[in-house]
């Protein structure tokens, strides 16, 4: 039994550690750290009790070094740290079956931001978590990378475990499925492989199933696994970056089986959803961003949530250097370089549309051979902005403007950059065009496209 | 039993036995040593066993002339007192029943013992050893680590030395929460097994006392929560000691139960400030600077500068000490405080003349490396 004294000592140390971590290692800090319970410091080890096995795995595998550092700095002693878990939700033997993909404690339903783009997928996963094997079987979630497929899959797993701690879940990436299968062939131990997938699990969750593309034998094996599980009422959840029919060289019988249950698509989130995501994610890391900064981040990162996460990490890093204040200026310096990457969706036409409207010239003039100043300047500005806002190469850009050489494009970019620095009136003009362009980018895509056409 | 024994040799083995045996025990037999005659490796010896139920040691004495076989159970400390104070070169020990007579040139002591059947049973080696290494290597490795083990009795898992073996790789680790010492080496005779045990510090100290001859071989076995060790001398005409050699001593001890602290987490991996320092000059500098330190907060300041190390000690009411020495260091300047005793402990056992001292920040642990075999982590103290 741990004495009261030892416990309060451990508590004090723990609180000091959390303060230290927030100050120096804010990227690892999570809100649920406050749920962790320090037990005692004995035998050179601080023992910390976690609520779930998932938290324990996450802390042991990912956060141990920074915790040790914090512990040593706070106590001035050479101590180690141990994370234990005695909760009922923790002891699930099959979870350990595929230790390669530990579930992340961040990926739970409460942390998932629901918007019109992912509502269906979210509801479907919740329904499956309530009644595995009864509704939507198989559940097939597809969407572009970084939109939350893995989050939903893991949240479903964790919800299932919460509801029924003895449920046997096999959560695996498709790559691991293929690797295990290859291994079983080379070691001649296919019986064990089949037992693991066909009779030792209640729920099979496979992430990134499109990895099966072009792997005939793995596809066949998966087909049989699929057929063995479904009649037993075992739940199957799959995720992919495209709908079944669009996965290249996937066998027809698999495609039809995947489509047999529910197909739920996750689309890129709209601005409002992104804003909530930004706030939620930063809150999870223990930071409260001011509204204008959050909006700025949401505006800048429009394609996927991973970008948002990266942006928040950057912001936190920058803020740490500048005394912990989150201001607009800070956000602009921290995320300035995100712009060209994030604006992948901007087309040349959009850019040229803005420039032609501003300078009142025609697109064919920009593409033609005229070399009057009234044409060359807008042409150079267009090239400069195309380079800045799109991913087109020098050659592609030159090609669009009447088959010009890539050196011409380089020259234009340099000229405009120089002019922007020397001529403040000109710089204002460019800024005006850029502002217009940015406003348009932050609006939903379809409207933007139609405007560019007009 | 009737034997004539070399007095000085008997003093030595009884001395060892007495450091195990309890002075006062509710069971009187536990304050006794068992003395018996035996034949080991073809020669006649006197065998002496002592135990406190945690640790048992068994030593053989070959400087003896056995007239009549027998067995005796005698109070250890009293027997040692008698033998130690005698002026004679040889003593005659005569045991009849439970009563022993010790005869010198001008003296006769009669000492009442106990029934030898009452002595607790002693278990020993069974089957093949888990690993075999030279006594010299074992002693070196123990010396490099045991000083760092925790002294207070509360930190059970740290009141010992972690003995870790993976195939041929042997590692010993000890820590007390302020510093950590690790010794590593390779042993020749080993299978591919892995084992991890914590040997209590009392057993380590006892074992260390048995390792007097570095040429001897030590066999170790870990079984049923216990350590069994036996020392083997070379048999006559043999190059290396073999199983047929003479077992001169053996020890068994209960291992510490519990988990050793996760020491690998504690060893810093990303130290970017590295200094290369001469061990002896460093040790002398630390020792001199420590002469003027405060009793309560024993700390000296190490100021690492370009190619130069300044060590300062300060005792508020006495004065200040400053020692400078050239070192190989080119990173940015840094001031770190350390307990000089902890530094000296490591420098005493560091095997190579040049050591590296690796640091990251004044509040992060420092790392001393000496050759391949020795590693020492030390926690800094905050500077005033």
């Amino acid at each position: 039994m741990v004495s009261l004294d030892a416990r309060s000592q451990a508590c004090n140390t723990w609180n000091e550690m959390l303060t230290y971590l927030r100050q120096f290692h804010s990227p690892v800090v999570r809100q649920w750290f406050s749920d962790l319970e320090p037990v005692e410091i004995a035998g050179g080890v601080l023992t910390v009790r976690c609520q779930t096995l998932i938290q324990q795995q996450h802390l042991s595998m990912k956060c141990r070094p920074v915790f040790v550092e914090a512990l040593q700095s706070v106590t001035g002693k050479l101590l180690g740290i141990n994370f234990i878990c005695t909760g009922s939700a923790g002891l699930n033997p099959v979870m350990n079956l595929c230790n390669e993909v530990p579930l992340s404690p961040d990926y739970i339903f409460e942390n998932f931001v629901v918007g019109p783009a992912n509502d269906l997928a979210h509801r479907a996963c919740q329904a499956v978590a309530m009644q595995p094997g009864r509704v939507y079987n198989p559940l097939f979630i597809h969407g572009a990378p970084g939109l939350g497929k893995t989050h939903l899959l893991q949240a479903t797993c964790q919800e299932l475990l919460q509801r029924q701690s003895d449920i046997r879940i096999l959560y695996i990436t498709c790559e691991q499925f293929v690797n295990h299968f290859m291994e079983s062939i080379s070691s001649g131990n296919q019986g064990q492989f089949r037992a693991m997938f066909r009779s030792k699990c209640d729920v099979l969750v496979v992430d990134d199933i499109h990895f099966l593309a072009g792997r005939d034998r793995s596809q066949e094996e998966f087909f049989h696994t699929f057929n063995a599980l479904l009649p037993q009422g075992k739940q199957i959840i799959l995720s992919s970056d495209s709908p079944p029919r669009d996965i290249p060289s996937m066998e027809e019988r698999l495609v039809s089986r995947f489509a047999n249950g529910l197909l739920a698509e996750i689309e890129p989130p709209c601005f409002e959803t992104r804003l909530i995501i930004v706030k939620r994610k930063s809150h999870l890391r223990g930071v409260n961003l001011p509204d204008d900064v959050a909006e700025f981040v949401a505006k800048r990162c429009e394609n996927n949530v991973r970008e948002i996460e990266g942006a928040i990490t950057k912001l936190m890093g920058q803020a740490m250097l500048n005394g912990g204040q989150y201001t607009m200026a800070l956000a602009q310096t921290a995320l300035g370089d995100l712009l060209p990457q994030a604006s992948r969706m901007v087309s040349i036409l959009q850019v040229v549309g803005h420039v032609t409207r501003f300078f009142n010239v025609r697109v064919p003039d920009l593409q033609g051979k005229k070399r009057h100043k009234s044409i060359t300047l807008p042409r150079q500005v267009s090239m400069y902005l195309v380079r800045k806002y799109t991913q087109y190469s020098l050659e592609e850009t030159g090609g669009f403007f009447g088959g010009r050489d890539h050196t011409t494009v380089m020259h234009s970019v340099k000229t405009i950059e120089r002019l922007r620095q020397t001529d403040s009136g000109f710089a204002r003009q460019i800024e005006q065009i850029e502002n217009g362009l940015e406003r348009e980018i932050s609006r939903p895509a379809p409207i933007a496209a139609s405007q560019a056409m007009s | 039993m009737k034997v004539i024994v070399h007095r000085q040799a008997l003093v030595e083995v009884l001395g060892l036995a007495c450091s195990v045996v309890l002075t006062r025990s509710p069971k009187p037999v536990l304050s006794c040593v068992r003395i018996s005659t035996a034949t080991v490796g073809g020669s006649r010896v006197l065998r002496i066993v002592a135990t406190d139920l945690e640790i048992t040691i068994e030593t053989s004495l070959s400087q003896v002339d056995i007239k009549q076989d027998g067995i005796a159970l005698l109070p250890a400390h009293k027997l040692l007192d008698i033998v130690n104070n005698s002026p004679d070169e040889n003593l005659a020990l005569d045991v009849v029943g439970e009563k022993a007579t010790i005869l010198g040139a001008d003296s006769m002591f009669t000492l009442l013992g106990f029934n030898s059947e009452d002595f607790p049973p002693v278990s020993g080696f069974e089957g093949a050893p888990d690993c075999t290494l030279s006594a010299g290597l074992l002693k070196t490795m123990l010396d490099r680590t045991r000083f760092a083990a925790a002294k207070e009795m509360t930190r059970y898992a740290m009141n010992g030395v972690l003995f870790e073996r993976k195939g041929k790789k042997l590692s010993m680790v000890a820590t007390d929460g302020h510093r950590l010492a690790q010794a590593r080496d390779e042993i020749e005779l080993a299978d591919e097994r892995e084992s991890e045990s914590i040997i209590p510090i009392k057993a380590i100290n006892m074992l260390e006392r048995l390792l007097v001859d570095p040429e001897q071989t030590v066999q170790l076995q870990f079984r049923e929560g216990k350590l069994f060790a036996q020392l083997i001398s070379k048999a006559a005409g043999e190059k290396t000691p073999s199983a047929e050699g003479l077992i001169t001593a053996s020890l068994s001890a209960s291992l510490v139960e519990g988990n050793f602290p996760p020491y690998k987490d504690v060893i810093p991996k990303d130290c970017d400030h590295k200094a290369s320092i001469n061990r002896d000059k460093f040790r002398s500098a630390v020792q001199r600077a420590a002469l003027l330190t405060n009793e309560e907060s024993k700390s000296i300041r190490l100021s690492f500068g370009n190619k130069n190390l300044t060590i300062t000690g300060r005792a508020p009411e006495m004065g200040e000490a400053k020692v400078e020495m050239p070192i190989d260091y080119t990173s940015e300047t840094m001031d770190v405080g350390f307990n000089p005793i902890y530094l000296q402990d490591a420098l005493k056992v560091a095997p190579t003349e040049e050591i590296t001292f690796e640091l990251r920040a004044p509040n992060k642990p420092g790392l001393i490396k000496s050759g391949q075999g020795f590693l020492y982590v030390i926690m800094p103290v905050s500077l005033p």
Side-chain angles (χ1 to χ4, degrees), chain A residues 43-44 64 69 72 76-78, chain B residues 158 177 261 265 360 364-365 379:
Chain A
R64 200 185 277 271
E69 184 193 316
Q72 293 181 348
K77 286 186 187 164
L78 206 58
Chain B
M158 284 154 72
D265 292 352
R360 202 167 123 212
K364 305 268 155 63
M379 208 59 200

Side-chain angles (χ1 to χ4, degrees), chain A residues 20 42-45 64 68-69 72-73 76-81, chain B residues 155 158 177-180 261-262 265-266 360 363-365 377 379:
Chain A
Y20 178 92
V45 191
R64 200 185 277 271
V68 169
E69 184 193 316
Q72 293 181 348
S73 298
K77 286 186 187 164
L78 206 58
L79 301 173
I81 192 161
Chain B
R155 299 163 169 262
M158 284 154 72
H178 297 283
R179 70 295 196 30
L180 176 147
D265 292 352
V266 161
R360 202 167 123 212
N363 61 344
K364 305 268 155 63
V377 186
M379 208 59 200

Side-chain angles (χ1 to χ4, degrees), chain B residues 281-282 284-290 301 308-313 321-325:
Chain B
K281 282 184 188 153
F282 188 32
S284 142
V286 169
Q287 203 166 11
R288 284 181 285 151
R301 177 192 290 261
N308 181 47
L309 172 66
T310 311
I311 306 176
T312 41
K322 184 171 160 191
V323 186
E324 284 193 55
M325 63 181 291

Side-chain angles (χ1 to χ4, degrees), chain A residues 28-49:
Chain A
V28 303
V29 176
R30 296 291 183 273
Q31 232 201 335
W32 49 262
F33 280 5
S34 52
D35 298 340
L36 303 176
E37 180 198 346
V39 183
E40 58 171 340
I41 301 180
V45 191
L46 168 68
T47 310
V48 177
R49 184 177 290 132

Side-chain angles (χ1 to χ4, degrees), chain A residues 53-54 56-57 90-103 161 167-171 180 196:
Chain A
L53 189 77
I54 295 150
Q56 185 207 0
Q57 266 181 351
L91 305 165
N92 193 306
V94 179
M95 288 292 300
N96 300 330
L97 220 147
C98 280
N99 241 345
E100 299 123 272
V101 210
L103 298 179
L161 279 172
I167 196 164
R168 297 172 305 171
I169 300 178
L170 188 47
Y171 175 81
H180 278 295
M196 168 167 142

